[in-house]
Amino acid sequence: MTDQTLSSASPAIVKPKLSRDDYVMRAFVLVIGLWLVVTLLMPLYAMLSKSVQDKDGLYIGLTNYIEYFSTPALFYSINNSFFIAFLTTAITISLASVFAFILSRSTIPGKGIFKSIALLPLLAPSLLPGISFVYLFGRQGVLKDLMGDYSIYGPIGIVMGEVFYTFPHALMILVAAFSIADARLYEAAEVLRSSRIRTFFTVTLPGIKYGLISAIFVVFTLVITDFGIPKVIGGQYNVLATDIYKQVIGQQNFQMGAVVSVVLLFPAILAFAVDRFVQRKQVAMLTARAVPYEPKPHTLLNRMFFLYCCIIAVMIVGTIGMAGYASFVTFWPYNLELSLNNYDFDVMDGGGWGSFYNSLELAAYTAVIGTSVIFTGAYMVEKAKGFGLIRGIIQFFCMIPMAVPGMVLGLAYIFFFNHPDNPLGFIYGTMPILVIVTITHFYTVSHLTSMTALKQMDPEFETVSASLKVPFFKTFLKVTVPVCLPAILDISIYLFVNAMTTVSAVIFLYSSDTALASIAALNMDDAGDVAPAAAMCMVIVATSATVRVFHALLSRGIAAKTQKWRKR
Amino acid sequence: MSGGLHFNRGRPCRISVSYSMKNNTDNEQDETYLQVRNVTKMFGTFAALKDISLDVNEGEFVCFLGPSGCGKTTLLRAIAGLDIQTHGKVFQGGREISDLPASERDFGIVFQSYALFPNLSVNDNVGYGLVNVGTSKADTHARVVELLSLVGLEDQGDKYPAQLSGGQQQRVALARALAMSPGLLLLDEPLSALDAKVRVHLRHEMKELQQRLGVTTVMVTHDQEEALTMADRIVVMNDGNIEQVGTPEEIYGSPASPFVAEFVGTMNFLKATKGENSQIMLGTHTLTLNDAEKAKLNGSSVLACVRPEDILVRGVDDSTANSFDTKVKNLEFLGSFCRATLVYGKDDTELQADFSINLVRDKGVEEGGNVRIALPANSIHIFSAG
């Protein structure tokens, strides 16, 4: 038999027949791909092309860029942005590293409370620290004497606010890095009589290396793309993100806004690329045989650690508390009587309480639709057979939103959806476009969370289902979704809280009917109604916190209900 | 066996072991249940399977045995339609299934990880496929109970997989794979994740169950002991090729290649030269061979292979055929027997021999001592030394 095959030409290649499951999955993959093309790639393309056009839409090459770089007032912002980003990164990473080390490697009491407090800034819009620092260190601030001759309006205020805003982000990454410690390495170091300091440099530091690098780039990206803090407390100190806003909203110069966006896109993409590169290098540091590290008590150090955590906690609580207090003060600083006057949003510009309800609506839609789309999409991209190239491209698309600053995405949506020829133009100025831009803005983290959960599933579930003649979607609903429920809840709460607090992507896209709470706060602050702005921020914080508590209870309930099959 | 389980759809309950596979590979309509024809699987430019042809009889238990990367799992996945072959054909029960997706083939499968659905009870896992084909609740339940009693887990139905031991999980996976009465049962290293003791026990149990049901079974394993104890026939694979197909006795007793000889069991490979009268020279010692091995002598240098347990000491004296003196270099106590490293000849060629504890005691075998051994002609296998 072999003689025949050897003498004849190469044998026919078997072309596998596709099952119905394969067709359905591939259709889903295409739909997800199309979704990302429409909501992400085409808007970005529209923005890029806008940056090389004149006001009438004619192609003018790099003229806009030349103009940008020959206007010192504009390109000086690059310096400012980088200065703020570098300084903030250095401060945040230093503070957060020590905090993360204490949380994961010491035996101080109250670690749970300290961690919860440290994560509080995640619940607030980024303009909250700005407003709070105005009350603390501004011209009429309680602690203005601490500032001496310096003004809080400018780089000092921005850096302080950014540190507050980025601290929990860095902390989460670093705690994760510190907690994957293998006790066996520490025991080996001890047996070899290595000093504590040497152990730190030879065991601890290499262990968190990748987490540290990742945290650095995350913080850097967050700062350089943040808009809320420099807007509120930046004064005359311009950064790239505020420049986009000024060009577009202030001067209606969309082309220049596009140019600044492209300029801002560069460092963000670079930081993102480095981060991905580093993450890929991080092979499983913690093997299945690793023994978790158990910190040993150390009295003197513990006292210092405890003090350190208290100071950080007081600063965080103080910042939020100041905004909270100020929101109840009738007329700062002349009438310190407490009242709810500032919460009477309906008598102020900015959208009133309606904007808060809009925000709730946006957050709910984003959480429900976003989680469904992103998790289902991740499942299809992960589990579909064949289609390798398309799936690879979609995986890459899913990473892009992380590298695109919200301001840039928002502006790109104007160019794309407000174009007269776009058949989708009818969603411009409506709630759906806000939902879509928010889902897209926060797509990457949600996608990665989905992938992590899906990768922990036995890859043979689908095979077993096929051999039992059960279509994959039944297994998806009966097994995949229930098993991944904790991750699905995490994604929805992440989307909800971010939709509540985000300013950057939606600021170009809301209309008078769809004003949002975070934007109302920004606009009230802009109009000088700082106390109502603080009040609106507090409403957002309270909402996010409530939803978080609800989420924690729900998660605990699910854990209790499912622990029978999760643990022996 | 209850009649409710339709495993015996005309299949023999006792195994009919047929060795007629090699000579009728051109005829695709023979009585074998599963036929693999000239299957090649390419991953890029790497050939994981090279023109594999194989037949499995109805009701037979076949093991694919080989080291990791030899292609055994790839072949199983091609048969299941999970990673369809690049070239070649596969027939099952007379039907060509070469290009069909897994969902249109007729098999049950057990993976090394078992892939039990963690959030479903044992009952729901076993009944997972039954519910889907519209079996009524009562029938499904009756069937699940039957399947669970078949694997000895009748009282565990309400538990979740995580609450069961590894061995129990494995049996649930087996029950689930059998639920739809598949024509073919595929087992992908089903015992590898278990403790040694449980493994030995389940080995026996699975084999017995397979015999009772008469379901055609293909199992992938890298554990030779598993293959030798469970399989009706073993397919030894290496580097994408089939090295040998045969019963466990054939594989162990007459390995077709040095690879098989070394992979299955322990084997001494001794360099020898061709002597006169179809004898071989082991250094200065002359050894005679049986007729089958004599026929394999071509070329002047050959490898003479002897298993350690075939080396004789008792009753060996100077007049015994194929006997010579050796020195005991090392004696390793392994519980029920001792493995001796013997050296012979001018350059102290090493040779391993297994001696019973009795023998060591009776003959006073000790490290540094001398012992005369014999290599019986019937236990010597010849391979060319190329």
Side-chain angles (χ1 to χ4, degrees):
Chain A
M1 41 139 194
T2 40
D3 303 336
Q4 287 171 346
T5 45
L6 286 178
S7 56
S8 62
S10 62
I13 288 180
V14 179
K15 201 170 172 346
K17 272 198 194 132
L18 296 182
S19 65
R20 208 175 50 184
D21 280 2
D22 290 329
Y23 284 116
V24 175
M25 278 198 177
R26 288 182 181 196
F28 265 106
V29 168
L30 289 180
V31 168
I32 289 293
L34 195 67
W35 167 275
L36 285 166
V37 167
V38 173
T39 61
L40 178 66
L41 291 195
M42 288 169 77
L44 286 180
Y45 174 77
M47 190 203 67
L48 285 177
S49 52
K50 201 75 169 182
S51 74
V52 290
Q53 288 172 2
D54 67 8
K55 284 198 163 49
D56 302 321
L58 293 171
Y59 177 77
I60 50 165
L62 294 177
T63 314
N64 289 330
Y65 289 89
I66 293 164
E67 189 192 333
Y68 175 81
F69 283 102
S70 49
T71 316
L74 283 176
F75 80 78
Y76 206 71
S77 300
I78 299 179
N79 264 340
N80 290 351
S81 272
F82 272 90
F83 172 73
I84 296 287
F86 281 127
L87 193 57
T88 306
T89 306
I91 297 173
T92 301
I93 296 295
S94 314
L95 293 177
S97 298
V98 178
F99 204 89
F101 178 84
I102 295 171
L103 285 187
S104 44
R105 299 284 177 89
S106 82
T107 55
I108 63 161
K111 284 198 280 191
I113 296 169
F114 282 131
K115 189 173 178 188
S116 306
I117 290 175
L119 296 183
L120 278 180
L122 291 176
L123 305 177
S126 68
L127 51 143
L128 180 134
I131 292 173
S132 185
F133 291 149
V134 168
Y135 281 106
L136 284 168
F137 308 107
R139 282 175 211 104
Q140 295 162 334
V142 242
L143 301 172
K144 66 169 184 287
D145 296 341
L146 285 178
M147 295 297 292
D149 290 338
Y150 296 99
S151 166
I152 190 73
Y153 297 96
I156 299 177
I158 299 178
V159 170
M160 284 169 60
E162 298 289 4
V163 169
F164 174 89
Y165 162 59
T166 55
F167 186 80
H169 293 271
L171 184 69
M172 283 192 294
I173 299 171
L174 290 166
V175 164
F178 272 118
S179 35
I180 53 165
D182 188 345
R184 295 175 306 169
L185 295 178
Y186 287 89
E187 280 162 11
E190 205 177 318
V191 170
L192 295 167
R193 307 215 180 130
S194 159
S195 69
R196 268 173 175 260
I197 303 215
R198 179 143 181 257
T199 308
F200 179 81
F201 279 104
T202 51
V203 179
T204 309
L205 213 49
I208 63 151
K209 185 170 64 183
Y210 295 113
L212 194 62
I213 297 173
S214 195
I216 287 172
F217 283 102
V218 164
V219 170
F220 181 86
T221 312
L222 281 173
V223 176
I224 209 157
T225 61
D226 179 52
F227 165 72
I229 293 167
K231 176 81 181 69
V232 170
I233 208 168
Q236 299 304 310
Y237 195 82
N238 292 330
V239 295
L240 288 169
T242 50
D243 277 355
I244 298 177
Y245 184 73
K246 280 178 191 158
Q247 289 297 326
V248 172
I249 302 292
Q251 305 183 11
Q252 297 286 309
N253 188 344
F254 290 95
Q255 289 70 27
M256 198 47 78
V259 170
V260 186
S261 294
V262 174
V263 171
L264 181 57
L265 205 48
F266 269 104
I269 287 180
L270 192 71
F272 171 74
V274 174
D275 183 41
R276 293 307 300 172
F277 178 74
V278 169
Q279 295 228 335
R280 198 163 301 173
K281 286 202 134 185
Q282 177 160 29
V283 280
M285 303 268 285
L286 198 65
T287 59
R289 295 173 60 193
V291 182
Y293 178 78
E294 292 274 351
K296 294 192 190 80
H298 190 293
T299 320
L300 178 66
L301 276 178
N302 270 6
R303 278 189 198 147
M304 287 163 58
F305 287 162
F306 190 76
L307 186 66
Y308 178 85
C309 287
C310 284
I311 294 172
I312 299 269
V314 164
M315 293 205 290
I316 291 171
V317 172
T319 304
I320 296 177
M322 187 64 226
Y325 173 64
S327 74
F328 290 111
V329 167
T330 311
F331 188 56
W332 185 276
Y334 307 107
N335 179 359
L336 294 181
E337 211 168 302
L338 299 186
S339 75
L340 285 173
N341 288 0
N342 294 321
Y343 286 82
D344 195 3
F345 300 128
D346 288 339
V347 301
M348 285 163 245
D349 287 340
W353 275 101
S355 68
F356 171 69
Y357 302 128
N358 283 339
S359 268
L360 275 184
E361 201 183 331
L362 170 69
Y365 279 134
T366 304
V368 173
I369 300 173
T371 308
S372 315
V373 168
I374 296 170
F375 186 80
T376 313
Y379 176 84
M380 300 299 167
V381 171
E382 170 72 11
K383 301 287 181 186
K385 287 200 283 286
F387 245 33
L389 183 67
I390 293 177
R391 284 161 56 212
I393 292 172
I394 292 177
Q395 287 280 18
F396 174 71
F397 286 175
C398 292
M399 294 296 116
I400 296 177
M402 185 80 127
V404 179
M407 301 288 293
V408 177
L409 191 66
L411 188 56
Y413 267 49
I414 298 185
F415 296 144
F416 180 64
F417 285 101
N418 200 27
H419 195 281
D421 296 337
N422 190 335
L424 295 170
F426 65 90
I427 68 165
Y428 190 74
T430 64
M431 181 57 79
I433 198 172
L434 296 179
V435 174
I436 292 171
V437 79
T438 310
I439 292 173
T440 308
H441 189 187
F442 300 106
Y443 201 102
T444 305
V445 171
S446 312
H447 177 75
L448 291 175
T449 310
S450 308
M451 288 308 262
T452 309
L454 288 169
K455 291 227 188 267
Q456 284 166 357
M457 303 278 288
D458 194 309
E460 308 297 2
F461 282 166
E462 280 70 25
T463 312
V464 168
S465 307
S467 79
L468 295 171
K469 315 281 180 282
V470 178
F472 83 91
F473 59 84
K474 281 206 174 170
T475 306
F476 176 71
L477 293 175
K478 279 179 86 170
V479 179
T480 312
V481 169
V483 172
C484 292
L485 206 53
I488 291 174
L489 280 179
D490 283 350
I491 295 168
S492 49
I493 191 78
Y494 167 84
L495 289 174
F496 188 97
V497 170
N498 274 304
M500 274 316 284
T501 58
T502 189
V503 180
S504 55
V506 289
I507 195 151
F508 295 133
L509 298 172
Y510 74 96
S511 67
S512 52
D513 292 339
T514 56
L516 300 172
S518 53
I519 291 171
L522 193 79
N523 287 342
M524 287 190 284
D525 176 78
D526 221 15
D529 292 332
V530 185
M536 189 59 101
C537 284
M538 291 316 290
V539 171
I540 295 173
V541 171
T543 311
S544 306
T546 309
V547 174
R548 273 245 175 242
V549 168
F550 183 67
H551 168 250
L553 291 176
L554 197 61
S555 297
R556 194 173 296 177
I558 288 171
K561 210 178 149 204
T562 60
Q563 70 172 0
K564 259 198 299 192
W565 54 266
R566 285 194 195 278
K567 281 244 163 73
R568 206 171 278 192
Chain B
M1 270 308 311
S2 136
L5 291 159
H6 310 287
F7 288 116
N8 298 336
R9 293 183 298 213
R11 270 178 225 131
C13 236
R14 299 277 305 174
I15 317 283
S16 67
V17 185
S18 154
Y19 302 107
S20 62
M21 56 155 296
K22 275 288 175 188
N23 48 26
N24 59 1
T25 41
D26 284 336
N27 177 7
E28 285 161 351
Q29 294 301 313
D30 57 25
E31 77 278 23
T32 55
Y33 183 68
L34 179 74
Q35 294 143 298
V36 175
R37 287 290 170 276
N38 308 106
V39 161
T40 296
K41 175 70 183 178
M42 307 294 296
F43 290 112
T45 56
F46 170 73
L49 295 174
K50 299 168 184 165
D51 199 30
I52 298 276
S53 291
L54 177 73
D55 291 70
V56 177
N57 296 315
E58 190 143 20
E60 198 180 15
F61 194 130
V62 167
C63 270
F64 296 170
L65 176 65
S68 53
C70 70
K72 55 189 190 299
T73 299
T74 311
L75 183 54
L76 185 91
R77 292 181 75 86
I79 292 170
L82 301 174
D83 288 310
I84 290 176
Q85 68 278 8
T86 316
H87 312 294
K89 294 178 175 177
V90 181
F91 300 85
Q92 183 183 350
R95 178 170 78 121
E96 175 163 6
I97 56 169
S98 307
D99 58 353
L100 295 184
S103 55
E104 291 173 36
R105 299 189 184 198
D106 175 23
F107 68 91
I109 191 162
V110 176
F111 290 102
Q112 183 176 352
S113 63
Y114 315 137
L116 293 175
F117 304 124
N119 60 323
L120 301 182
S121 68
V122 168
N123 280 335
D124 290 344
N125 262 286
V126 175
Y128 195 72
L130 297 168
V131 174
N132 193 58
V133 292
T135 317
S136 76
K137 254 197 172 143
D139 286 354
T140 302
H141 185 70
R143 186 64 197 282
V144 167
V145 169
E146 236 170 344
L147 285 157
L148 285 179
S149 66
L150 197 63
V151 295
L153 292 175
E154 45 277 84
D155 50 349
Q156 308 286 329
D158 293 327
K159 289 192 176 169
Y160 289 97
Q163 295 171 307
L164 302 179
S165 71
Q168 290 173 320
Q169 290 182 25
Q170 200 269 351
R171 284 184 279 178
V172 174
L174 191 60
R176 184 178 63 181
L178 293 168
M180 312 282 281
S181 310
L184 181 63
L185 179 61
L186 302 177
L187 308 170
D188 186 4
E189 305 252 6
L191 299 170
S192 300
L194 298 169
D195 296 339
K197 275 236 163 103
V198 183
R199 201 151 60 202
V200 171
H201 175 68
L202 271 183
R203 205 147 80 184
H204 176 71
E205 229 173 62
M206 281 178 75
K207 171 68 180 170
E208 200 188 50
L209 182 64
Q210 188 270 339
Q211 275 182 318
R212 248 196 301 165
L213 301 177
V215 56
T216 312
T217 302
V218 175
M219 179 170 95
V220 161
T221 182
H222 64 270
D223 182 336
Q224 41 158 317
E225 224 175 275
E226 223 166 271
L228 292 171
T229 51
M230 295 174 80
D232 296 322
R233 280 193 302 151
I234 296 174
V235 177
V236 184
M237 297 184 64
N238 180 33
D239 196 20
N241 292 304
I242 292 182
E243 291 273 338
Q244 187 176 5
V245 182
T247 62
E249 293 78 13
E250 286 169 343
I251 298 285
Y252 194 83
S254 358
S257 67
F259 174 82
V260 177
E262 190 171 27
F263 189 74
V264 181
T266 314
M267 187 68 95
N268 288 301
F269 288 88
L270 305 171
K271 278 186 190 150
T273 52
K274 190 175 171 183
E276 292 167 5
N277 304 327
S278 294
Q279 289 179 319
I280 57 167
M281 305 294 295
L282 206 59
T284 55
H285 311 301
T286 308
L287 303 181
T288 46
L289 305 172
N290 67 17
D291 294 341
E293 300 300 321
K294 279 178 188 167
K296 296 184 193 166
L297 284 175
N298 47 8
S300 61
S301 62
V302 294
L303 285 174
C305 299
V306 185
R307 295 211 182 267
E309 69 270 21
D310 287 337
I311 292 174
L312 293 183
V313 173
R314 231 181 259 280
V316 173
D317 55 36
D318 292 357
S319 62
T320 311
N322 289 0
S323 70
F324 53 91
D325 286 317
T326 63
K327 197 173 158 189
V328 182
K329 185 183 174 192
N330 182 280
L331 200 60
E332 194 180 5
F333 177 65
L334 289 171
S336 56
F337 68 96
C338 283
R339 175 152 294 173
T341 305
L342 310 173
V343 293
Y344 67 89
K346 273 185 293 204
D347 44 3
D348 281 352
T349 312
E350 287 190 4
L351 169 72
Q352 296 202 313
D354 290 351
F355 296 152
S356 71
I357 304 297
N358 263 332
L359 179 77
V360 171
R361 201 163 38 220
D362 296 352
K363 289 275 173 183
V365 179
E366 56 182 8
E367 282 181 18
N370 290 316
V371 61
R372 188 167 182 88
I373 59 166
L375 312 183
N378 281 332
S379 67
I380 302 177
H381 309 285
I382 295 297
F383 296 108
S384 65

